[in-house]
Amino acid sequence: MTPYRKFLLGLGLAGSLQLGACSTQTTTTDETMTAEQLGMAQAPSDVHSFAKPAEAVARHLDLDIAVNFDQKVIAGKASYQIENKAKGNEIIFDTRGLEIEQVYLGKEQTPTTFKLGDEKEFLGRPLIIAIQPETDYVTIQYRTTANADALQWLNPQQTAGKKHPFLFTQSQAILARTWIPIQDSPGIRITYSAKVQVPKELMAVMSAENPQQKNSSGSYTFEMRQAIPSYLMALSVGDMVFKPIGQQTGIYAEPATIDAAVYEFAEMDKMLVAAEKLYGKYRWDRYDLLVLPPSFPFGGMENPRLTFVTPTVLAKDRSLTSLIAHELAHSWSGNLVTNGTWDDFWLNEGFTVYFERRIMEEIYGKDYADMLNVLGYQDLQHTLEDLGQTSDDTRLKLDLEGRDPDEGLTDIAYEKGNFFLQNIERVVGRERFDQFLNKYFQTFAFQSTNTDLFLDFLRKELIQGDEKIAEQINIEGWVYTPGLPEDHAKPTSKRFAQVEESFKAWQSGKPANQLQTKDWSSHEWLHFIRMLPEQMSQQQLAELDKAFGFTNSGNSEVLAAWFIHTIRNNYAAADQALDNFLTNVGRRKFLVPIYKALAATPAGKKKAQEIYVRAKPNYHAVSTNTLDAMLK
Ligand code: BES
Ligand code: ZN
C-alpha cells in the first residue's frame, strides 16, 4: 500500500507565501482556504516520484547551466533552497539518465556524500543526498546524457532556417528529471532563477521572464517568481526572434516562421481578454508563444508565460487556433491549480478543454464551439473503442502505478473530463457553474489539487446536500465508472448538420464539385472526411481529391484525416504527400493513427517501417517511444 503523505498544506502555503513576496497582483484573500482548512489535508503520494516532500522538500531552484550543441549535453549546477521538515539526514531528488558529479551543502558549498538508488523502469533513480538537520541549501553538479528523453537536439537541416541547430525540452509528464535533478512530482512547486550559457549566435528562452532580443555573449538569465511544478520547467535554444501581438502577448519563432505565426495568432490577445472575463485575472504577467520546428511531439505545451506550439497549426487561415485557447486556459487549469498526481490528470486536461471551448464560444460564437464539441465527442468514442468500454483506463480517476504515465494519459481525461463539466454546467446553470469555477481557481491558486479535493469542493460549494442535483451530476458514474454514463447528453452542431446533408447528397450520386461546401472551415472539412466510408474506390477518392484538393491541403488536420482513407484504400496519388508529411512532422497525435493505418496490412507495415527508418531522426523521444513499440 502506498503511504499517505500530508503534502498539500505545506506546499500550498509555500506557493502563496512565495507569491506574496513577488511583484504580481496575487494576494491571499480571506476566501483563500488552504487544503487543510478545507479539512482535506491527506493526499495520496505520487507513485511516479522518489521524493519524500513531507520529510525534505525543495522550495527554490537556482539553475546554472551551459548548453553544448557539439556534445549534445547540458551541464552545470542545480542549487536548491530546501526545507528539511523532518530535520532528518537526507533529501531525495528524481533523476533519470543523469550523471551526478558532485553534491555540496550550504552557500559555502561544502562537499557532501550522495548515492544513486536502483534504476526503476520509467522512473529512473533516486538521488539521495546526505544533509544535516539545519541544511537549507544543496547544490548538485550534473550533466545530461544521450538518454535525456526530454531533450530534442535538432541539426540545422531540421529547422526552418537550415542554418543553426535548435534545442527544446518537453518535461511533462515525468521527463524533467532527465535534464535537471529535481523533485519531479506535480504535487511539489518551486520558484526558480536560471543562468544559461548558449552559443553566441543563438538565443535562449524558458518558462520564465524572457529576453526579447539576442545578446552578444550568449549568456541569458531568467527569473520565475511564481511557484510551478517540475513538469513546467522548460528551455529552448535556437535562432529565434520576438514580435509582439498585444501589450502582454507576443511570439517567438525562427526568423523564417515569425511572420506566418504573427498572422496566424493575431487573435491571442482577444483570447486572453475572453479568458480573464470568464475565470479571473491572468496571474503570470506575460503570455507569449514559442513556435517550434515541426518535430515538436505535441500540438502545444502550456509552459508558463511561454506556450510551446507546433508549426502544424500554421494553416494560414487561423482555423486551428483553438489549440492556443487550450494552452492559454492551462494558465488557470493546470498551471495555477495543478493535478497533484498523474492519476488526477483529468483535473488539468478536462477543465482545460471545457475552458478552451468556452473561450472559443466567447470569441466565435456557440455554433463554432459546438463543432469542437462534436469532434471531441468523436475522438472520445474512438478512444473508448480502443481501450474498451469497460477498461479502468476509461475512468476519470486513473491508477497509473507501475506504468509510464505517458501511456495512461489519453483522450479520456480531455473529453470525458470536459463532458462531465458540461454536464454539471447543464445541471446547475452556467451562471452558478462559472461562479463555482472562479472560486475553485481562487481557492486552489498556486496549489496542487486532486480528484478527492475537487469533489469535496464540488459537494460543499455546489451540491450542498441537494440529492436531486447530486443524482444528476452523477459523480460516481463519471469519475469512477468506466465508459460514459448512459444518459449523457450527446453534443450536436448546426454547422455539421449542413455538412451531413452535403455528404448524403454526394453518397446519393451528386458530383463532388457540385456539393454545397461554401465557407467551410477546417472543422467542417474534418467532419466530412471522418464520415467517409472505410472502403472507397479509386474513382471516389480521385473525385474528392480533384474537387477539394485534400492531398495538397495546407491544413495538417485535414491532411492527417485524409491520409487514413488514402492508406486504407491504396490511393497511390497521395503517397508522396504522405511521405513528406511523415518525414517532416513529429506530432504524435498525427503520427500514431497514420502509422497504425499503415501497419494494418503486411505490405503497409513494410512501407511504414521503411518510412520510419528515414523519418525517425526527426522525431522526439516522446513520439519514438510510442512508435517503436508499434512498429517493431
Ligand atoms: N499538456 C498537454 C500536452 C501533454 C500532455 C504533454 C501529457 C505530455 C503529457 C497540452 O496542453 C495538450 O493537451 N496538447 C494537445 C493540444 C490540445 C488542443 C488538445 C496536443 O498536443 O495535441
Ligand atoms: Zn492540455
Side-chain angles (χ1 to χ4, degrees):
M1 223 11 245
T2 34
Y4 276 68
R5 292 189 209 136
K6 224 185 190 186
F7 73 93
L8 269 156
L9 168 72
L11 296 168
L13 267 180
S16 317
L17 287 176
Q18 279 156 343
L19 265 155
C22 83
S23 65
T24 64
Q25 321 80 354
T26 315
T27 48
T28 309
T29 64
D30 288 344
E31 267 190 79
T32 308
M33 290 176 275
T34 63
E36 186 154 271
Q37 281 163 340
L38 288 162
M40 298 165 254
Q42 298 289 317
S45 65
D46 180 357
V47 294
H48 295 109
S49 169
F50 293 110
K52 294 181 180 167
E55 291 167 25
V57 67
R59 298 296 192 200
H60 176 85
L61 163 66
D62 294 311
L63 194 63
D64 184 354
I65 53 176
V67 177
N68 185 326
F69 278 90
D70 295 330
Q71 294 174 14
K72 299 191 173 158
V73 163
I74 292 178
K77 289 177 173 174
S79 302
Y80 286 99
Q81 269 167 34
I82 65 161
E83 190 183 334
N84 185 359
K85 289 179 163 175
K87 301 279 174 244
N89 295 314
E90 60 181 45
I91 183 165
I92 304 177
F93 291 87
D94 293 290
T95 75
R96 201 184 112 195
L98 288 181
E99 245 174 64
I100 306 298
E101 297 171 333
Q102 183 60 272
V103 183
Y104 308 92
L105 298 187
K107 289 264 158 90
E108 66 287 358
Q109 308 237 336
T110 313
T112 185
T113 55
F114 67 91
K115 111 181 154 222
L116 281 166
D118 291 341
E119 174 93 28
K120 265 204 181 169
E121 206 183 359
F122 318 121
L123 304 183
R125 305 172 73 180
L127 169 63
I128 305 157
I129 298 173
I131 58 172
Q132 308 289 323
E134 66 281 5
T135 300
D136 59 3
Y137 203 73
V138 302
T139 295
I140 306 161
Q141 192 181 316
Y142 75 100
R143 54 200 302 120
T144 62
T145 67
N147 298 325
D149 273 4
L151 306 180
Q152 190 172 15
W153 302 89
L154 298 173
N155 59 44
Q157 214 42 47
Q158 294 166 304
T159 67
K162 316 279 178 211
K163 283 203 198 79
H164 298 281
F166 201 101
L167 167 72
F168 65 85
T169 63
Q170 169 57 42
S171 295
Q172 196 181 14
I174 55 168
L175 299 177
R177 66 189 70 177
T178 72
W179 70 285
I180 311 174
I182 197 162
Q183 292 190 321
D184 198 9
S185 165
I188 302 173
R189 307 179 85 85
I190 51 169
T191 52
Y192 76 88
S193 77
K195 192 165 158 276
V196 182
Q197 180 65 48
V198 304
K200 280 202 284 292
E201 15 5 304
L202 305 181
M203 182 161 135
V205 289
M206 292 191 81
S207 50
E209 209 173 309
N210 274 306
Q212 292 186 343
Q213 261 165 358
K214 254 185 222 169
N215 64 43
S216 56
S217 67
S219 173
Y220 294 89
T221 56
F222 301 90
E223 202 68 56
M224 185 53 171
R225 295 186 187 85
Q226 289 105 328
I228 59 166
S230 56
Y231 76 89
L232 296 176
M233 290 299 305
L235 167 70
S236 182
V237 180
D239 180 22
M240 48 182 90
V241 289
F242 172 81
K243 279 199 179 173
I245 296 284
Q247 277 285 320
Q248 217 182 335
T249 53
I251 299 178
Y252 294 84
E254 285 189 70
T257 316
I258 188 78
D259 289 334
V262 165
Y263 175 80
E264 202 76 31
F265 304 131
E267 281 148 335
M268 64 188 287
D269 225 53
K270 244 198 231 167
M271 288 186 177
L272 185 54
V273 171
E276 287 190 315
K277 189 174 142 204
L278 285 167
Y279 300 121
K281 187 116 196 84
Y282 179 75
R283 310 278 283 260
W284 308 87
D285 304 333
R286 289 199 60 85
Y287 182 68
D288 295 320
L289 302 179
L290 169 63
V291 182
L292 290 157
S295 66
F296 186 59
F298 293 106
M301 177 63 216
E302 66 271 25
N303 296 316
R305 299 177 68 114
L306 183 65
T307 283
F308 285 17
V309 32
T310 170
T312 62
V313 286
L314 300 174
K316 300 198 166 75
D317 61 3
R318 300 179 182 164
S319 60
L320 302 178
T321 54
S322 63
L323 186 132
I324 306 303
H326 179 97
E327 304 311 333
L328 171 65
H330 272 305
S331 307
W332 287 261
S333 43
N335 299 4
L336 190 62
V337 179
T338 309
N339 54 204
T341 76
W342 298 116
D343 288 346
D344 305 300
F345 186 56
W346 77 277
L347 293 176
N348 273 19
E349 297 299 343
F351 276 67
T352 297
V353 170
Y354 174 83
F355 195 168
E356 162 211 318
R357 308 265 156 91
R358 292 292 304 277
I359 294 172
M360 295 313 273
E361 178 174 338
E362 197 72 26
I363 299 178
Y364 299 103
K366 183 168 182 307
D367 288 352
Y368 192 98
D370 284 347
M371 291 194 292
L372 299 176
N373 272 321
V374 172
L375 292 172
Y377 187 78
Q378 293 168 359
D379 292 336
L380 177 57
Q381 290 299 338
H382 280 134
T383 307
L384 286 169
E385 275 163 38
D386 273 0
L387 296 171
Q389 300 280 347
T390 57
S391 159
D392 282 348
D393 286 346
T394 66
R395 298 177 303 182
L396 285 179
K397 171 77 183 175
L398 298 168
D399 180 4
L400 299 172
E401 184 160 15
R403 287 191 281 168
D404 184 347
D406 205 43
E407 298 292 304
L409 305 181
T410 68
D411 266 353
I412 299 295
Y414 289 78
E415 296 295 345
K416 187 178 176 185
N418 166 52
F419 289 118
F420 176 42
L421 297 181
Q422 288 190 356
N423 181 51
I424 304 176
E425 183 201 308
R426 207 168 5 250
V427 173
V428 301
R430 181 166 277 192
E431 200 178 325
R432 269 192 78 195
F433 191 51
D434 279 350
Q435 279 168 6
F436 165 79
L437 285 179
N438 266 285
K439 192 163 180 188
Y440 174 67
F441 290 133
Q442 274 267 334
T443 304
F444 291 94
F446 296 103
Q447 299 180 52
S448 293
T449 177
N450 61 46
T451 302
D452 288 341
L453 278 170
F454 168 70
L455 293 178
D456 281 334
F457 195 75
L458 178 70
R459 288 190 193 95
K460 181 163 167 286
E461 298 288 333
L462 217 45
I463 298 177
Q464 297 178 329
D466 186 322
E467 275 169 34
K468 185 142 173 274
I469 289 182
E471 196 186 306
Q472 288 174 314
I473 287 180
N474 188 8
I475 290 176
E476 187 61 34
W478 284 94
V479 180
Y480 299 108
T481 312
L484 280 176
E486 254 168 40
D487 59 350
H488 72 274
K490 289 190 188 60
T492 56
S493 155
K494 276 192 213 142
R495 285 174 66 169
F496 281 179
Q498 201 256 305
V499 174
E500 286 151 28
E501 259 175 49
S502 292
F503 181 77
K504 276 189 207 129
W506 177 67
Q507 281 197 310
S508 350
K510 190 167 180 182
N513 60 13
Q514 286 172 30
L515 295 181
Q516 178 59 263
T517 62
K518 200 170 160 309
D519 296 331
W520 280 11
S521 72
S522 62
H523 309 300
E524 275 115 340
W525 285 115
L526 197 56
H527 187 53
F528 184 87
I529 295 171
R530 285 182 178 187
M531 277 189 294
L532 295 173
E534 290 214 0
Q535 304 287 330
M536 288 171 74
S537 69
Q538 297 297 308
Q539 195 199 339
Q540 284 177 312
L541 287 156
E543 187 205 4
L544 293 175
D545 211 6
K546 180 147 185 266
F548 308 129
F550 291 144
T551 299
N552 296 315
S553 170
N555 190 293
S556 56
E557 295 279 353
V558 167
L559 265 182
W562 173 242
F563 287 144
I564 302 299
H565 296 284
T566 68
I567 291 167
R568 276 193 191 134
N569 296 289
N570 292 310
Y571 178 64
D575 280 0
Q576 192 51 50
L578 174 67
D579 199 293
N580 281 346
F581 189 88
L582 290 177
T583 45
N584 282 300
V585 174
R587 189 174 170 190
R588 185 171 65 176
K589 177 186 117 168
F590 292 147
L591 298 181
V592 169
I594 291 178
Y595 276 109
K596 214 178 194 172
L598 280 170
T601 64
K605 185 155 185 185
K606 237 182 110 200
K607 189 164 156 190
Q609 285 164 333
E610 187 271 310
I611 297 174
Y612 187 52
V613 171
R614 282 186 285 121
K616 192 171 167 176
N618 288 334
Y619 300 158
H620 186 277
V622 156
S623 294
T624 57
N625 285 343
T626 309
L627 293 172
D628 279 347
M630 203 166 101
L631 293 172
K632 67 168 180 274

